[in-house]
Amino acid sequence: MSRNEPFLQKMSEEQRDLLFRFLPFTDTFSIDWFSGLTDMPPSKLLGTIRFLEGQQWITEREDQPGVYGWTRKFPREELTSRVDPSVWHLYCRSAADMLRRNLPGTAESLLRTARLCVQAGIREDDLEGIFLAALQEEEGHKISSAVELYDCLLEHIEALAREAGGILPPEFGRIFVQTIERRASLSLFHPNLKKINAFLSTALDAAMALGDIRALASLHLLIGQNFWMAFQHERAVEHFDTGWGMIDQGEKDALYRRGLQLQALAAWIRGDLKGAVQAYEDSLGELDTVAADDFSQLIALHLALCYTQVGMPQRGLGITEAIHQQAKRAENGPLLSVALATTGVIFLEIRQLKNSRIYFDMALEVARREGIPMAEVMAGIGLSNIACLEGNLEEAAEHFKSLWKLRKSSWYHTLNSPHVFEAGYVLHRKGCSPVELESVINFLYSLEMGQVNPFLYSIIRHRQILVIEREKPPVEKISELVEIEKSLGALGAVLELAKLQITLTRLFLQTNNWRMAETYALKAWEAAKSVAKDVFPRELFPLLPQEGIGEKDRLFDLVVEMGEALTNQKNLEQLLTNVITALTRLTGAERAALFIKGKDPRDLEMVASRNLSQETLRDERFGETIQRIRIATEDPGGHLMQYDLSGPDAIDFRRVIITPLTLGKNVIGALYQDSRFFSFDISAGRLKLLSALASQVAVSIDRAQAYDEIARLNDRLLQENVYYREETEEFRPFGDIIGNSESVVQIHRLIAKVAPTVSTVLIHGETGVGKELIARAIHRESPRQKGPFIRVNCAALPESLIDSELFGHEKGAFTGAIKMKAGRFELADHGTIFLDEVSELPPA
């Protein structure tokens, strides 16, 4: 017997029934909701309330009389278990109806009602409310709660489809498509690949039945994402390309941006790392902005890993930091957890283990608080990897248990991140993996080159040879790794290439081939030193020539790339995009921006940026930096400014370089760069080179601005030439208005009166009476006579544009209401002069 049994026995059957009817309200309930029920007399209601208060199971809210909440003493689980499931469903349905009746339309009741409907058994009239509640939770960054509701909705509608022979009515089909679009986009937080794939297949049939091309395009993109997560890369690219082909390329909306980003991801999946980076850069334009939706930012985080592999880890860190800060401002915990974990992966890849551990620990804390399994697994495996590198296999195995957070069918998504292979292979080989990996190991061994992109295939084979195939003769290993080296070199995978060349160096040492060992040690050092010096093992330094350890002059690369950036532009926008992209590649800056002075020298405009958004500029913490940039642009000497920034946390350290853009003796702006570590050697000579490059940037910007202005003036000249040609062809002298009647004299007086003014003039009359003749006469007598006389066919203008086209361009022009009515204009403005005294011209 439970300790609560005596209390329950004191209650009457009616009181127990009422208690059980209170149970579905897990937060609060009001006695007013029950007072109107026919089977609920006030005495019964109040008696039950007094009994529950006496047991200290409920307490009345101080600010809400008649509203009660449960105390910690209330034995909810015990009492709920006493209710028969079929009866519990009825109680939940009654509670849902009460909330709809008493709290209609409120955000609070929407979620409570949706959850009660799920417990009661979903009905057709519940679908819309549950979807809106899930969407509300997602927008509030409560991803786990949103996923739970989306899944319930999808399971219910799919059951309806099965009952209907696989055919969904249009009203169910639409909400099913909308729901799976939202749920599938959250798979990067909460993967459940097998179930979601089935839902997507059903939704694709529903969208085809509806004839909704836009939904079909979106679903193909999401199906591609699901295949990518399931490590089925060929099918993923197929669906990415199909979806992209169905998107309206002229409508630059959210679906277009998603398709463009997934084209960058498709390039990476194909192994075209450079193409992926270029596609992502092209999608940004000159100013970097952080996308509003989580899906786009999650794809950007994956592409940040691609930047790391092509030798630009600072650019990758800049992307993760920008999304990190955006997520903090928006209090978006789920996205923050993935951004932190991705930053940890990048630091791990370049062997900055101290920083990597800091970010993984922060990611774990946020992921567990927010219930985001994907981020928890990324961080857990990352920490396992660090422990393996440090030789602590027991700790590594403990961290590797995080893989249990994912369903086994979703484990394959982790293989898209290179850092998982080391820990998995090491723990499996040592026989201390807490997770059974035999099936995964066998799956990876079954893969052939054509089944996975060449970059990931190279990583998989490299790790298999390095860790698993320990007994294989070194000569055989060397032969295969040399072929992989060629593939990685063609792909531009700089970081992985350096790691593979280190392995080859050690293998050549095992075969006593010192000459080849020295050759590959130098190759590895050349590849790693500007990207990740800590990747190169200390014990191999004696193999390097003395001059090999020093910084090799990259002046040639600098001149070539910057030269291309400065010359291969069609206009100012293209120039700025080329310059800011090239600069971040060359210097290894995490964040960079070009600032140009406005007409007022005190005004600074950010005209191009990477990983630095307008929101960051408005942040109070960036205020001091803006002041320093302004000081640099006001320095007539154009001196470069260099300093360090540090915050309360160890991760807040940054080195800043502000380089004035000098044009002759004038400073037209500044180049801002910062990074936790620059790949660009920050010596006095290199800073002098950076200043010289900045001057060339200033000259190019000045020229591009001049070209844009010349092009604009040329277009204007061409237009004016057309107008003047028409004027010449149709010229009529003022003397064409002839006659000495009182009406003609009155016309001359009116023309002379209004021509010198800036007033808007309305001339109206029947067709053929000479309205345009009078308009030309006014123009020739006005101060604007040297400018073009522009005729506009009003009938060709939409009504909504007439005001702005005819009266919105000149100083003092008419700005009042205008309507087209019965073929004539009606204007409401007291400043308008109406020439309505003459309805027609007398014959000559």
Side-chain angles (χ1 to χ4, degrees):
M1 179 184 295
S2 74
R3 63 178 182 176
N4 296 304
E5 190 65 32
F7 299 120
L8 293 174
Q9 289 179 354
K10 294 179 182 178
M11 300 180 70
S12 66
E13 185 176 342
E14 289 183 340
Q15 287 178 326
R16 280 197 297 271
D17 174 67
L18 184 54
L19 169 60
F20 292 146
R21 293 176 72 169
F22 290 157
L23 279 178
F25 299 104
T26 55
D27 299 319
T28 59
F29 63 90
S30 172
I31 58 174
D32 291 339
W33 300 348
F34 295 85
S35 59
L37 300 178
T38 55
D39 61 340
M40 194 68 61
S43 58
K44 175 182 174 182
L45 182 61
L46 293 176
T48 305
I49 292 292
R50 282 196 295 269
F51 177 84
L52 295 176
E53 284 183 313
Q55 303 307 316
Q56 297 182 346
W57 285 354
I58 63 172
T59 181
E60 189 174 18
R61 295 292 175 88
E62 293 182 2
D63 55 339
Q64 295 176 289
V67 176
Y68 292 86
W70 306 99
T71 67
R72 292 183 179 181
K73 292 184 177 182
F74 180 62
R76 173 174 296 280
E77 293 184 8
E78 178 188 343
L79 294 178
T80 304
S81 65
R82 291 172 173 267
V83 185
D84 182 87
S86 60
V87 178
W88 176 250
H89 292 164
L90 295 176
Y91 287 152
C92 290
R93 176 57 61 187
S94 174
D97 292 340
M98 284 185 186
L99 286 176
R100 282 184 176 139
R101 186 167 55 250
N102 293 283
L103 299 174
T106 65
E108 177 192 1
S109 68
L110 187 63
L111 178 60
R112 294 174 68 183
T113 303
R115 287 177 173 163
L116 286 169
C117 290
V118 170
Q119 294 183 65
I122 300 174
R123 298 187 315 207
E124 292 180 10
D125 58 343
D126 296 331
L127 301 180
E128 186 69 25
I130 296 173
F131 176 76
L132 291 176
L135 194 61
Q136 174 182 283
E137 289 293 271
E138 182 185 346
E139 290 172 350
H141 312 306
K142 298 174 182 177
I143 302 301
S144 297
S145 175
V147 164
E148 181 183 352
L149 291 172
Y150 285 139
D151 284 348
C152 290
L153 202 55
L154 290 168
E155 289 168 3
H156 178 75
I157 300 177
E158 191 175 52
L160 293 178
R162 286 196 299 270
E163 292 174 5
I167 300 174
L168 279 173
E171 62 274 17
F172 292 163
R174 286 191 180 88
I175 196 166
F176 188 82
V177 169
Q178 290 175 334
T179 304
I180 190 57
E181 282 186 296
R182 299 309 320 147
R183 173 62 183 95
S185 69
L186 298 179
S187 285
L188 296 168
F189 289 125
H190 272 263
N192 188 353
L193 304 185
K194 189 174 181 180
K195 180 182 287 188
I196 290 173
N197 197 48
F199 289 150
L200 285 167
S201 178
T202 303
L204 200 62
D205 293 337
M208 291 178 68
L210 293 168
D212 191 337
I213 301 299
R214 182 181 175 82
L216 283 170
S218 175
L219 288 170
H220 274 293
L221 295 178
L222 291 166
I223 291 170
Q225 170 207 295
N226 214 50
F227 278 124
W228 167 61
M229 294 178 69
F231 215 62
Q232 299 181 50
H233 291 164
E234 187 175 346
R235 298 186 70 181
V237 171
E238 178 185 338
H239 282 281
F240 285 152
D241 289 345
T242 300
W244 178 245
M246 300 173 74
I247 292 172
D248 183 356
Q249 306 292 313
E251 190 175 353
K252 304 294 193 295
D253 57 2
L255 182 60
Y256 171 84
R257 291 192 297 273
R258 175 176 291 190
L260 196 60
Q261 283 186 316
L262 289 175
Q263 282 298 291
L265 184 60
W268 189 18
I269 292 172
R270 286 191 293 264
D272 183 7
L273 277 67
K274 292 181 179 178
V277 166
Q278 192 58 55
Y280 183 72
E281 292 291 336
D282 291 344
S283 73
L284 296 176
E286 68 276 21
L287 279 177
D288 204 353
T289 55
V290 179
D293 63 298
D294 288 352
F295 184 90
S296 296
Q297 295 186 72
L298 288 167
I299 296 300
L301 289 172
H302 280 283
L303 291 170
L305 298 175
C306 184
Y307 276 96
T308 304
Q309 289 299 331
V310 298
M312 293 189 286
Q314 290 94 336
R315 176 76 171 105
L317 287 170
I319 292 172
T320 62
E321 178 68 12
I323 296 174
H324 171 190
Q325 295 301 330
Q326 169 73 8
K328 279 181 66 176
R329 284 193 292 268
E331 297 182 352
N332 187 343
L335 184 63
L336 176 61
S337 67
V338 181
L340 291 168
T342 307
T343 305
V345 172
I346 295 175
F347 276 124
L348 174 62
E349 287 292 303
I350 61 177
R351 295 301 185 259
Q352 295 278 327
L353 300 187
K354 181 179 178 181
N355 286 327
S356 181
R357 182 180 279 109
I358 289 172
Y359 277 94
F360 283 143
D361 284 338
M362 291 193 296
L364 270 181
E365 180 185 351
V366 178
R368 287 168 177 167
R369 184 181 72 230
E370 299 290 338
I372 305 300
M374 197 63 242
E376 187 171 347
V377 171
M378 285 179 68
I381 292 180
L383 289 169
S384 178
N385 224 315
I386 293 173
C388 283
L389 290 170
E390 295 173 343
N392 191 339
L393 295 183
E394 185 177 343
E395 180 185 338
E398 189 64 29
H399 286 303
F400 204 78
K401 290 179 181 177
S402 63
L403 193 59
W404 285 332
K405 292 291 181 179
L406 298 180
R407 294 175 177 84
K408 195 168 184 178
S409 63
S410 300
W411 283 5
Y412 295 98
H413 178 43
T414 64
L415 300 177
N416 288 300
S417 182
H419 81 294
V420 305
F421 295 103
E422 275 97 344
Y425 277 134
V426 168
L427 292 174
H428 177 75
R429 177 179 165 273
K430 296 289 186 179
C432 53
S433 173
V435 180
E436 177 52 54
L437 294 176
E438 189 68 35
S439 60
V440 179
I441 299 294
N442 292 337
F443 166 75
L444 293 175
Y445 262 109
S446 71
L447 292 174
E448 298 180 1
M449 176 68 81
Q451 295 176 280
V452 66
N453 79 65
F455 169 66
L456 275 178
Y457 181 81
S458 298
I459 290 179
I460 292 168
R461 277 304 294 145
H462 180 197
R463 302 310 185 275
Q464 287 170 340
I465 292 170
L466 183 66
V467 181
I468 302 295
E469 301 172 8
R470 305 281 290 184
E471 308 306 321
K472 189 173 185 177
V475 175
E476 293 182 22
K477 294 180 182 180
I478 289 171
S479 177
E480 186 172 356
L481 288 175
V482 167
E483 292 302 313
I484 294 175
E485 179 193 17
K486 295 176 184 177
S487 175
L488 290 173
L491 295 173
V494 177
L495 185 58
E496 182 59 26
L497 181 63
K499 293 179 180 180
L500 182 134
Q501 288 168 340
I502 289 167
T503 300
L504 280 168
T505 300
R506 286 171 167 154
L507 288 171
F508 279 119
L509 286 175
Q510 290 179 31
T511 60
N512 291 318
N513 191 336
W514 284 84
R515 185 178 64 81
M516 290 303 295
E518 289 174 349
T519 299
Y520 270 93
L522 184 57
K523 281 184 176 183
W525 172 249
E526 291 294 338
K529 67 181 181 182
S530 62
V531 178
K533 291 182 180 180
D534 293 324
V535 167
F536 193 85
R538 292 182 177 275
E539 71 269 16
L540 297 184
F541 273 119
L543 295 173
L544 298 175
Q546 189 62 37
E547 64 273 14
I549 302 178
E551 177 71 19
K552 185 180 177 182
D553 191 0
R554 296 178 61 216
L555 179 59
F556 178 79
D557 293 336
L558 284 166
V559 172
V560 170
E561 184 152 3
M562 282 302 298
E564 291 177 350
L566 294 173
T567 57
N568 293 343
Q569 86 281 339
K570 298 177 181 178
N571 51 37
L572 181 60
E573 178 182 337
Q574 187 63 45
L575 170 73
L576 295 173
T577 302
N578 287 347
V579 167
I580 201 68
T581 301
L583 281 169
T584 54
R585 287 178 180 174
L586 295 174
T587 64
E590 289 183 45
R591 301 191 298 186
L594 284 168
F595 291 88
I596 301 296
K597 287 182 179 179
K599 292 182 179 180
D600 184 340
R602 294 171 298 178
D603 293 336
L604 282 177
E605 179 186 2
M606 185 170 71
V607 294
S609 69
R610 284 296 176 265
N611 302 327
L612 202 60
S613 64
Q614 297 287 1
E615 283 187 342
T616 304
L617 298 188
R618 292 190 289 268
D619 195 310
E620 289 183 6
R621 293 173 295 180
F622 205 77
E624 182 182 345
T625 301
I626 290 292
Q627 286 300 111
R628 290 185 182 238
I629 295 172
R630 184 169 282 108
I631 290 170
T633 60
E634 293 172 352
D635 179 8
H639 297 104
L640 182 145
M641 188 181 296
Q642 183 184 183
Y643 60 94
D644 292 338
L645 278 178
S646 59
D649 299 323
I651 61 173
D652 290 339
F653 170 82
R654 286 183 182 276
R655 174 157 291 173
V656 177
I657 302 175
I658 302 174
T659 313
L661 302 177
T662 56
L663 188 63
K665 295 184 179 180
N666 297 322
V667 180
I668 67 168
L671 165 64
Y672 172 86
Q673 299 179 89
D674 72 33
S675 187
R676 277 162 281 199
F677 57 99
F678 283 95
S679 60
F680 186 77
D681 177 25
I682 310 180
S683 62
R686 293 310 172 90
L687 292 177
K688 186 175 181 180
L689 173 62
L690 186 58
S691 294
L693 288 173
S695 296
Q696 292 300 311
V697 171
V699 171
S700 296
I701 289 175
D702 185 61
R703 287 179 179 175
Q705 287 175 329
Y707 289 152
D708 281 359
E709 180 65 13
I710 290 170
R712 188 185 67 80
L713 292 174
N714 189 49
D715 289 342
R716 180 178 174 183
L717 181 61
L718 290 173
Q719 292 177 7
E720 290 187 357
N721 283 340
V722 173
Y723 295 138
Y724 283 129
R725 187 163 56 250
E726 291 178 352
E727 281 282 86
T728 302
E729 292 171 355
E730 300 184 17
F731 176 74
R732 297 288 185 275
F734 185 65
D736 273 6
I737 304 178
I738 59 176
N740 56 9
S741 68
E742 184 178 345
S743 295
V744 173
V745 172
Q746 179 66 11
I747 288 174
H748 282 287
R749 288 174 182 169
L750 287 169
I751 291 173
K753 182 177 180 181
V754 302
T757 72
V758 293
S759 297
T760 301
V761 178
L762 174 67
I763 308 168
H764 65 84
E766 301 299 326
T767 302
V769 299
K771 297 186 292 299
E772 186 176 331
L773 193 64
I774 293 174
R776 289 178 181 277
I778 293 173
H779 174 69
R780 292 189 184 103
E781 294 297 311
S782 74
R784 299 173 184 162
Q785 58 183 295
K786 294 183 180 180
F789 175 78
I790 302 173
R791 293 181 304 167
V792 179
N793 181 8
C794 300
L797 292 176
E799 181 179 342
S800 60
L801 294 181
I802 289 176
D803 186 9
S804 61
E805 287 295 320
L806 299 185
F807 305 106
H809 300 298
E810 300 292 344
K811 182 179 179 181
F814 171 76
T815 58
I818 177 168
K819 293 183 180 178
M820 178 71 94
K821 197 170 186 180
R824 50 184 284 189
F825 296 111
E826 292 185 358
L827 297 92
D829 188 278
H830 296 299
T832 301
I833 299 175
F834 293 87
L835 294 181
D836 57 359
E837 290 87 345
V838 181
S839 60
E840 63 181 2
L841 290 175

